[in-house]
Amino acid sequence: MVFGTIIPSPRGNFKLLQVLNLADVYLENAWRSTDPDLLLQLCHDTEVTLSQAKSLIKNTEDIAMHKRAANAYANLADLLKYHGRNEAHAFYKKSEKLGGRQSGQLSYPTASAHAVNNALHSIASSSTVNPPLYPSNPRKRRREDAVVLPQEIFPTNTLLPATDFNPPEPDSRLNDTLQLACCLGLLQSSHDPNDIVDPDTRSWFQIVKNDPDEQERLKALATNVVRAFKGEGFKDAKTVAEVVYLSSVLEKGDFGHLTNEFCSGINQSVLLDVYQAEGLARHVQGAQTGYLDADDLVKILQLLSARLKGTHQQSTNHLYQLTLAVSHVLDAMTDASVKDLDRKTLHAPLTSYLDELKGSPDAYLVYQAAYAYQALLHVPDNESLWQAAMRRTGKVIQGVFGLMSAAKGLDLNKFIESLDKIQQGLAGASQAVQIVRTTYDSAASLVASGQGFFECMKEGFSFSRKCAWYPALRGADVLIRDGHLADFRRLICEASCRRDPAFQWGVCQRLGNIASSSKWDSETQRGAIGLLGEMYKNDVVWGHQAIVKQWILTILMQLVTFSGGEVEFAEAVLQELQGNGDAMKKALYQECRENGAGTFALRVTPAAIGSPSLLDRVQERPDVEGAIRQLRRQRLKNQEKAVFIPPQAKANLQSSDGARFPLTEKVDEFLSSDRMVLLLLGDSGTGKSTFNLELESRLWKAYKKNEPIPLFINLPAIDKPEHDMVAKQLRKAEFTEPQIRELKLHHEFILICDGYDESQQTRNLYSSNRLNQTGEWRGKMLISCRSEYLGVDYQDRFQPGDRNTRSESTRFQEAVITPFSIDQVQDYITQYVSMYRPLWKVDEYKEALDLIPSLKELVKNPFMMSLSLEVLPRMIDPGQGIAPTRVNRTALYDQFIEHWLERGKKRLGEKNLSPLARAAFEGLIDEGFTLTGIGYLKKLCVAIYKHQDGQPIVTYSRYKDENSWKAEFFSRDDEKQILREACPLIRNGNQHRFVHRSMLEYGVSLAIFDPQDWKEATTQEPVLSRRGSVTSVLSFDGDEVMEDVSTTATQMPFSESPLVWRSFIKEPSVIQFLEERVQQEPLFKKHLLKYIEQSKKDKKWRTAAANAITVLVRAGVQFNDADLRGIQIPKADLSYGAFGSAQLQGADLRQVDLRGAWLPRANLNNARMAGVQFGELPFLKQESEVDMCMYSPDGKTLAVELHNRQFKLYSTSDWDILWTSEGRRMVYSPDSNQIASCQDSKVQLWDIHTGVCLHVLSGHDEVVWKIAYSPQGDQLASADRGTTIMVWDVRTGDCLHTLKGHTDSIINVVYSPNGNQIASTSDDETVRLWNTETGECEGILQHINVIDVVYSPRGDQVASLGLDDTVRLWDLVTREYFCVDTGNCSEITESAPAIMYSPKGDLLASTSHRAVRLWDIKTGVCRRELNGHTDEVKSVVFSPQGDMVVSSSVDQTLRLWDSETGVCRQVLTGHASFITSVAVSPKGDQIASSSWNDAVRLWEIRAGVSRHVSSGHNNEVRWVVCSPKGNQVASFCVNAVVRLWDVETGRCNHILQVDADDDDINIRMLVYSPQGDQIAIGGWEQTIQLWNVESGVRCHMLTGHGGEVNSIAYSPHGYQLASASDDRSVKLWDVKSGECHHTLTGHTGSVSDVVYSPNGAQLVSCSDDTTVRTWDVEAGIPIRILSRHVGWDSVIAFSPLGTQVASADVSGMVCLWDVETGEFRDLPDIISHYGFLGSLAYSPKGDRIAYCRNKTMLLWDTQSAACLQRLSHEERMSDKAFSPHGDMIACAYCDMTVRIWDVASGKCRAVIRSFDNRVNSIAWTQGSGINYLVAGCENGMTGAWQVTVDGERCHVRQHWRTTKGKLVVEGADMRGVQGLSLLNMRLMEQRGAEIGPLHDSDEANVSDTNVEDSDE
């Protein structure tokens, strides 16, 4: 190093500590230096100083000093290494010798000692300095010295953080002053209208620019606002903030008046008017060019200077505001190049006073004073500028002027160069000394006792000279203002002053402002916070300034306290900084965190504009903001404390509950979108109202002036909400009419409309209220409704405009609240217990949920959850614990109502009642308060339904309604008031309603059937038991008990029941309550059946009968073989009901819903069936395989192409054939008037309406392969199998172009959306783009094995699909592409697309083996993978609306997917062969699909919206097993689900989801315990599961086997379970504890079967080792080995007598073994069929043994071993079972039949054919003396048949069966039906019903759908 020291000194006079401190000072300045020459000089000084320290260290043993020197050497090495200097290695070595660290271990530099301060200052003051040398090329230095920041920090320049601007209509009232300022600002600008991005703003600008009157009006408004401000007596912050908005857009005269007003206010105030001082500062900032000259600025500065002196004793905040104002004025003077500032009278005094502020304790004020001082220094005084050196002065002047132009012109290079010149011009001894002084003082503050942050900070800012940091910060402000954040980032990284603490302080301040300002987006705010963190952490780049580090921490701590913004990110950065740096830096961090954020507020948020504002007064606008604030306070105050769990939702009713999303996020997304209506659906009690109230509360809390106003509208409380509901709601909130008019014209709303269903609405409230139409209310609507209230086409009631209009349909959105998840249930319980302190604790509630499986489903509903938590402690008897009880919704409501009334009774008893009220109360107690209250509730509910049609809110006026029905319930009668107060009613003014809508529905259902009423009527003794117990005294079985009360029942007044005079079919909640009553109370079932019976005689009962049969069907009651002749049930809902072989002759079934009904062999002769809904259309049978089908663009026709080269045209109105012709590859013209087809080498054009061939286009030499119409319909392109494409004029038939270029067969040809281009694909592995006007090839796109191509809807992109398993997305401008991997591309069919763009063009769908993938076309990212098909997917299409994707597969199914969520909405089955094509109708309401089974199927998509019930398994049923009690059947299917069925009712009591990794688990064994209380399940897994039958809860998981479990068996007493496994062992388990008692080993092969002896003492097992072994159960030891078999895989059976064992193996050998002796006998007539294992079974008496194998079953006598019967059938047998008495044996066959054989005679007694799939398993059981045969089928069906024997006759009647939601009418007699439409008749014929000739009145009855008005 060649330079002399910067500060020469006699270091020999220094002590060791002083020398080390001085070395730290040099080193710190070296780190800060941006000049390489100065850097080397400082490093040299550091080295010399450390050498001196090293010599002094020898004289001390202080280890700390050694370490201090070692660290200094290491830090010097770090610095040199950072700058790429080779000397670094030598200094690392010196550090190591002193015990320091090695290379690569950076540390924070140590601090200097405070004692050096005075000595160093005196040395620096007298030193002489060699001027540093700068590189000749400053740009080169800057590149070498540039700072590298993380890429995520301000990566790009952003759009300006502009204020939201809604341009007003001409001559309309303005919303606020900010809007006025924006208008005037636009008009004053020199904008080209085309430069304005927003179309509304651009349109407004163009109109007003040509409207001088509107311009003058706006200017006059601004003038009047200034005048209003001048007239204000007290100018508060809001008033000042409002008028300052106009500063930059005022006319010059108005600007001057406002300036004078500010100056006058400041001058005349005794105490400083802080608001006006700040306003003046912002006002000066906004001055236009020429508005303020030098004299104006000087006068303002004189005023502020005078007030600054007079404010010396005022608050720090006053000083800050005044200093800020001075800064802004000085900034303006600098920009205006003001000169000749009087030094004596202004410049020098102001300089002196600002210098005094350096002693302030407020750090923020010190910095602002330093800033103002710098601004003052940049305003030239009248001292001659030429007295300084020419070079230096010239560079300073050039730099300042260049700086201003660079900043304003955004020339960043010029800007940074100007900073370099300033830095060079100001370089010298004073600068070097100041650098040392600043760093030293800052470092000293870390260790000096008593010196805090303020003291060290104020030493770091210069008050004596110009610095580059001031103009750098001015430029930074311009860049931030314009949104040029990437340039701002570059500025702070490359500025020569970037290590100056004042510059860093200012940068941090600006970053804090960005991070805390809501006008910046989240990414920008995070970038600002991240940069603050970088400046704190990276000492190498940003230095070690303690003042800056502490300021960064202060800002971050303030950001954490802000509401909104990136609080969490700021907190995370703060946590990250905690461990940064050495101990001293950590101590600094800890001190800052302990001291808190302090008082240095980030002053970024201007005051809000007052209400009424100055502009409001000018425009004479009523004060609405005050009323809005009052409404806000009232609504927030009225919010009741309640448990709120943020709900989850799904996209629509068809979506699966598994595709859930947070509803709050979706609503926020809706509010920020351009959608207008969000329909919020959900079942009753799912929390729609709770969510709406929470949303309202959240919106009110975040509300700001001029933002959309949240308005909660309780629709049932509004009279006729279909008209002007917003005004009606505001009147209820006491808004005046002028205020309402003002809000209507000038404000927007967020309308939260709650309870559409409760208001009994059918109108579209958005349309009927004319929302968002000219002059009407403006805003978005969120409207809630119960999903069960709506029908199929419910969207029409809510969406704006026409649902079929694309632009309107996109403005509608819906969401459906889903049931609570397990986690949400747990959260709710925790919150509930914490909030309400109930009797139970959290653990007790959770235990109840575990032990009551039905409760788990109930509490997924939030209202049912709250109700359950309240009443559960009452439902469990104290001391008995929680029993596995069946709890349903009705039982909970029973308990809740009773609990509510008892609580009300207690509350009233403690209340200070008047004497009359007390007497009335005691009288009610004597009569039975709770029962009387329930009676009151029932009557009220009935009255509401009768008089208000179920509208839940009752408005009662004493004078108006005293003679109406309302007086009976709401009069001032003491008794009525007491009952009203005790019931679950809410009063709001004169309006009364139940606490929840479901209470009203429960009440009316209780009025229909109250078990307590019947209990009193049939019980002689007084009933003292508690109401609503889970098991009623009437919950009996058997008809004999029913007869005891039948006499009483028939005497009840049926005609008064609500069922008689009102239809509840569209009231699903009421139906559900009644459905559960049916399942609880057999008497109610009989009650309902009586209504149905009476409807046969008198039509007055038909409403009751329709209600009754709807309830019974919903309750699972089946009407197979029922006598329903002549019943009258119009409009009943029989969907998915079972009516097999029912007698329905002459029944009135008009408008009955029969979707998915089971009607095989039903007799509907002469039934009235007008308006019946089947939910399906007839399929179109063809005489050949179908290649393709497609809808016309207008949806009026459907074209079907057959494989025999014909095509047919159908009318979609009646599905008649219009005409037939020959041709292939058909395609419709865009206007639907033509259809084109290929015929060999020709193309034919057909008239749609007449079927006439218009043109034959000839010219191809080979067979035409593909044709396509242009979008305009004027051209047609045809491609042959060769290499030729021809373009035709459709009108004339002339050939326009012949396109040549492909070198191999052409595969496809398509037009671009605008018709200007054609894309073709070929086997030559290219896609060619052709110009349709010239016929020239415009481009060639290469793609290996390309097979398909499609244009995006916008035409800017094409997608090509190749057999290389990729889709290439091509940009048609650049011809560049990116690939997406399809995964395994399916080989597409000729007519089915394998790729397709969505209508919006944002997604691309592609087939991928068994899946469909949806790709983002911009990023190429796969958004969704749609899985579910079980075989290869062949085609995929979007619905016209883009909300649905339809895929077809080789698995013969269609799947309908939600394109947004990826959830499968529906699976369409019915095709019997490979699906060749699929088409969606233009309206999106139908799907047509074709297949090779000669049919086109037509599907109604809307049919999937209605209730779909699959009462059984969804997959193949493998086994059915009957309980020993005879009351239950267990069935299990391949998806590891076991269902437990009630034999009598067919109701599924429990669903057991068996744990398994594989959904397709094959459960091998399922057995009941002998007591019937437990069930054991074993399968492919190595475990056995034990389940409690009553509760449906798993008791134990038995683990221990090392192989798959093959067989399980309970011991006869039920206390033990045996299991056989592939691990060659048998294990014996204790079923109570789940422990294994014995492991029986000895078999050398897999153990295949195990069985107990009847007395349980022995166990028999068989194995693949061909042996049968007997075991002693108690001892766990073997008894005997029986060896006879030669085949593996055997089965065994123990005789019921216990003396014999039968065994069979895979070879067909059957042996009978004597248990005592081990002797065996081979049975004769063995069925020889090696390789198939049969099954064995003893008859119940043990005298017969059956063995079935393949198609034959043999019956032997067990004593003689003689073969008694050989029963054969032409189909293979799948299962067999002896009847309970052993006299019959049932066999299931693969021909979908079950045959019942007589054991004695071998004759077939009966054949059951009512199966539509193979029967896998059968079992017998006996209940109430009746034999039932139970069967499980391959399609998931489970059913029971009643079998009775009457002499020689065997009667089989179907008792119940599960349904699959499939319409079955095979064998139904529909001869003579009336009113059935022709389409429905065709459907019935196709499905196998017998249709006779049309009834004479059929044509008239087809339209007879108004049941109420029709005659009998």
Side-chain angles (χ1 to χ4, degrees), residues 49 127 674 794 887 1262 1453 1534 1623 1659 1695 1721:
T49 307
S127 63
D674 59 355
Y794 61 87
V887 177
E1262 298 193 39
T1453 68
V1534 295
D1623 65 3
L1659 189 75
S1695 165
R1721 285 182 292 175

Side-chain angles (χ1 to χ4, degrees), residues 1332-1577:
T1332 56
E1333 184 176 351
T1334 65
E1336 298 295 327
C1337 180
E1338 295 181 331
I1340 302 175
L1341 314 177
Q1342 299 287 338
H1343 194 164
I1344 300 173
N1345 295 329
V1346 61
I1347 55 175
D1348 201 6
V1349 65
V1350 60
Y1351 278 92
S1352 67
R1354 292 188 294 270
D1356 57 342
Q1357 191 182 72
V1358 293
S1360 60
L1361 173 65
L1363 291 178
D1364 59 352
D1365 296 342
T1366 66
V1367 173
R1368 295 188 179 185
L1369 301 177
W1370 301 85
D1371 186 300
L1372 291 181
V1373 177
T1374 65
R1375 304 295 163 84
E1376 296 178 350
Y1377 72 89
F1378 59 87
C1379 280
V1380 296
D1381 185 1
T1382 61
N1384 187 353
C1385 179
S1386 305
E1387 183 177 350
I1388 64 171
T1389 62
E1390 298 175 359
S1391 55
I1395 55 173
M1396 186 179 186
Y1397 280 93
S1398 65
K1400 290 182 180 179
D1402 57 335
L1403 294 175
L1404 179 82
S1406 70
T1407 60
S1408 177
H1409 192 44
R1410 296 184 179 183
V1412 174
R1413 292 184 178 179
L1414 303 182
W1415 306 90
D1416 187 301
I1417 67 162
K1418 293 182 179 179
T1419 64
V1421 174
C1422 181
R1423 285 193 189 174
R1424 296 276 188 275
E1425 182 167 312
L1426 315 180
N1427 293 295
H1429 283 292
T1430 59
D1431 211 328
E1432 195 170 12
V1433 178
K1434 285 297 183 181
S1435 69
V1436 57
V1437 293
F1438 277 96
S1439 64
Q1441 292 76 23
D1443 60 334
M1444 183 176 66
V1445 177
V1446 183
S1447 60
S1448 67
S1449 168
V1450 178
D1451 65 10
Q1452 303 176 12
T1453 68
L1454 300 172
R1455 285 183 176 259
L1456 281 57
W1457 311 87
D1458 187 293
S1459 61
E1460 181 177 356
T1461 64
V1463 172
C1464 182
R1465 292 184 182 178
Q1466 210 170 346
V1467 181
L1468 306 180
T1469 61
H1471 282 294
S1473 182
F1474 166 70
I1475 298 174
T1476 55
S1477 72
V1478 59
V1480 183
S1481 66
K1483 291 184 179 180
D1485 57 348
Q1486 286 183 359
I1487 291 177
S1489 58
S1490 62
S1491 72
W1492 275 47
N1493 68 335
D1494 308 339
V1496 175
R1497 287 194 171 267
L1498 305 173
W1499 317 86
E1500 285 189 323
I1501 298 177
R1502 294 177 299 172
V1505 175
S1506 56
R1507 183 179 67 98
H1508 181 81
V1509 176
S1510 176
S1511 61
H1513 292 286
N1514 294 321
N1515 286 283
E1516 178 182 357
V1517 175
R1518 292 284 175 86
W1519 290 95
V1520 289
V1521 181
C1522 294
S1523 167
K1525 291 182 177 180
N1527 64 341
Q1528 193 178 76
V1529 175
S1531 63
F1532 63 83
C1533 68
V1534 295
N1535 64 345
V1537 171
V1538 175
R1539 290 176 180 257
L1540 305 182
W1541 308 91
D1542 186 288
V1543 171
E1544 291 289 338
T1545 66
R1547 186 169 64 245
C1548 179
N1549 292 329
H1550 293 297
I1551 299 176
L1552 315 180
Q1553 184 65 58
V1554 181
D1555 292 339
D1557 295 332
D1558 184 3
D1559 286 342
D1560 194 31
I1561 181 175
N1562 182 5
I1563 299 174
R1564 289 191 170 186
M1565 291 298 295
L1566 183 150
V1567 293
Y1568 274 95
S1569 66
Q1571 293 77 22
D1573 60 343
Q1574 194 178 80
I1575 199 167
I1577 304 170

Side-chain angles (χ1 to χ4, degrees), residues 230-243:
K230 292 175 65 177
E232 283 288 295
F234 173 69
K235 298 176 175 61
D236 60 8
K238 295 181 178 181
T239 307
V240 171
E242 178 182 3
V243 77

